[in-house]
Amino acid sequence: MCSSDLRAALVENARAPQIQSAAQGMGFLVSFGNPAGGEGSYADFAFQCWIGVQGELPADLVTSWNAGMRFARVFLSGEFLVLSMDVMVAGGVTENHLVGQCELWDRVIRDFILHLRRPVGAAPREAG
């Protein structure tokens, strides 16, 4: 996923810059978290995919995902279902580590799409 042909756009907002991109056909944001050191330095960031909810969600959609997944969580925020994965970079990380986190996020989105397509009442997928 984190190849040189990945399209991304820097978006300025009041709190901190964000990066907009997409994977698996789903748009997402990279939101920077806790400031670290100087201007523009952060100790962490989060991948976040915001999905508008129309109608009622199956009762176990959020809980079954959160119970079975280790790296990413789902929560409701108003009329949005939010898939979020935190990445810690405090103390420094390698480029390979960041590429690995991008690849993990790509996999998380793919697994989440499969989770959303799961028939109501079907057993949740076992986490790998």
Side-chain angles (χ1 to χ4, degrees), residues 6 10 21 37 39 52 56 63 71 84-85 92 101 121 124:
L6 181 65
L10 183 62
S21 191
E39 176 91 17
E56 199 167 317
T63 55
F71 299 108
S84 182
M85 184 178 96
Q101 293 302 297

Side-chain angles (χ1 to χ4, degrees), residues 4 12 15 27 32 38 41 43 46-47 51-52 59 65 77 85 88 97 102 105-107 123:
S4 60
E12 296 289 337
R15 190 174 148 234
F32 297 95
S41 295
F47 291 105
I51 303 168
W65 172 267
S77 180
M85 184 178 96
M88 298 299 300
H97 174 78
C102 291
W105 175 244
D106 185 60
R107 172 71 188 262

Side-chain angles (χ1 to χ4, degrees), residues 58-69 115 118 122-125:
D60 75 334
L61 181 79
V62 171
T63 55
S64 62
W65 172 267
N66 289 338
M69 295 306 288
H115 182 76
R118 177 177 60 87
R125 180 186 73 73

Side-chain angles (χ1 to χ4, degrees), residues 1-6 47 95 98-103 106:
M1 178 185 107
C2 287
S3 65
S4 60
D5 62 340
L6 181 65
F47 291 105
E95 181 179 340
L98 292 176
V99 168
Q101 293 302 297
C102 291
E103 291 170 352
D106 185 60

